[in-house]
Amino acid sequence: MDSFIVEGSTRLRGKIRINGSKNAALPIMAGALLANGPSVIEDVPNLSDIQHQMNLLTELGAVVQRQSDGSMKIEVKDESNSHARYDLVRKMRASICVLGPLLAKRGEARVSLPGGCAIGDRPIDIHQRGLEKLGAKFRLEGGDIIVTAQRLRGADIFLGGNFGSTVLGTANVMSAATLAEGTTTIESAACEPEVVDLAEYLNAMGARISGHGTPRITVEGVADLKGCRHRVICDRIEAGTFMVAAAISNGEIELENVRLRDLMATVDKLRAIGVIVDASNGGCTVARSQRLHATTITTQPHPGFPTDLQAQFMALLAIADGNSIITEKIFPDRFLHVAELARMGAKVHREGATVIIEGTDQLVGAPVMASDLRASAALVLAGLAAEGSTTVNRVYHIDRGYERIEERLNKLGARIQRVDQRELEN
Ligand code: EPZ
């Protein structure tokens, strides 16, 4: 397993291009299962989560190939196997997004229940509620859900849950509804840009979806869908992560390939604490040259503050002036980074789904343990600002969602070395 050794007190400066969105690409790749003929998806980042999805689609009978221009060609050749095995799904819970496409196109699916992960339980009861309304039958066998449907029929579906909308639940139900008979209305749909991007791709394949990006999506079923070419949107969470990197390191970074309209809650908070965010054509410049102010953050479904940037902002607020409060409303247990930041001198105190952060002047480098994808990124960011060096262990978590992050941060002036953890133990 690899670790990062992050040298502290580094100011980041320079320009960086933001990659295509992992969380848009994953459901879009699954959506290709709905099509007759090949799809070519552009700007799919080269990440371990994407590789897992490629492996899964291959097992489900698709030929999945990176083209010479970096795009990804997906064509279903064999529909005889519709089993998403536990061994693949346990490595990436997002594999659940093949459920809707398989059900709609093949009338059956066997998908391992995702199980829990570092950020909490990952139930799929809302996915099930929506697909059952379309006519699907669910049963549980050996940890797998077996889902069948003779013919999906359009329905009026409420997809809200105790934590608001569900991103992949909306993706599954919207995808399945494209081939259902009649019209489906999805109430309390997720409004995330990644759901909008999926809808755009499905419409380009011949689906008839409207209202995507709002809490009410309407889908008029069609007979079939045809593969097409589609470029995924830029990764707003990667962009937000690099914005925090500029702020936490007292630096200045120009980001290219960013849609600021997808990050309004994030930019609002950055500006509120004293970070400069200037829009430029196709991107923005982020800089910080003064002490940061404290603030309060509550994570919410889009367009609210994204849970996927909660850990990164906690690292940033750890060096702000005054007391900040972060409340996690999406994944209330998404706080594995709290204890690790405390090892670096952050004054953080958790009370249930809320963390109080008492700003301190200086973090201090220490050995820390990565856990979930975004918490791991937060520890690297904290290491940039800390005095001395920080060793972040188990960085395979980071590789799931950030392509060669150490190389890209080093190009901006960071000093991060990737080492095999065994080298550290010798
Ligand atoms: C997507 O996960 C993202 N993953 C997550 O990003 C992101 O944190 C999450 O949306 C919230 O924005 C991908 O897009 C691949 P949800 P998803 O269903 O769809 C509860 C990252 O770091 N819920 O919107 O699985 C659930 O427990 C990852 O890139 C139910 O109760 O999340 C949670 O509390 C981490 N029942 C809340 O809803 C259900 O059937 C939101 O979950 C489904 C969800």
Side-chain angles (χ1 to χ4, degrees), residues 391-407:
T391 302
V392 182
N393 295 306
R394 298 187 183 171
V395 294
Y396 62 86
H397 289 290
I398 295 185
D399 294 333
R400 289 187 47 207
Y402 297 93
E403 196 173 328
R404 298 176 290 101
I405 193 168
E406 77 277 14
E407 292 173 20

Side-chain angles (χ1 to χ4, degrees), residues 22-24 26-27 49 92-97 117 119-129 161-170 190 192 194 236-237 300-302 306-308 329-332 334 372-374 400-401:
K22 164 178 86 81
N23 289 353
L26 291 170
D49 268 11
M92 187 186 63
R93 273 119 207 119
S95 313
I96 195 67
C97 65
C117 71
I119 62 177
D121 294 348
R122 306 301 289 272
I124 61 161
D125 56 307
I126 306 172
H127 298 237
Q128 178 168 348
R129 184 206 308 161
N162 295 337
F163 301 94
S165 49
T166 159
V167 173
L168 291 183
T170 302
E192 273 70 4
E194 295 77 26
R236 62 191 170 101
I237 303 303
Q300 298 170 62
H302 192 77
T307 174
D308 291 348
K329 290 268 192 187
I330 307 296
F331 293 106
R334 192 175 198 170
D372 86 88
L373 159 58
R374 309 302 176 181
R400 289 187 47 207

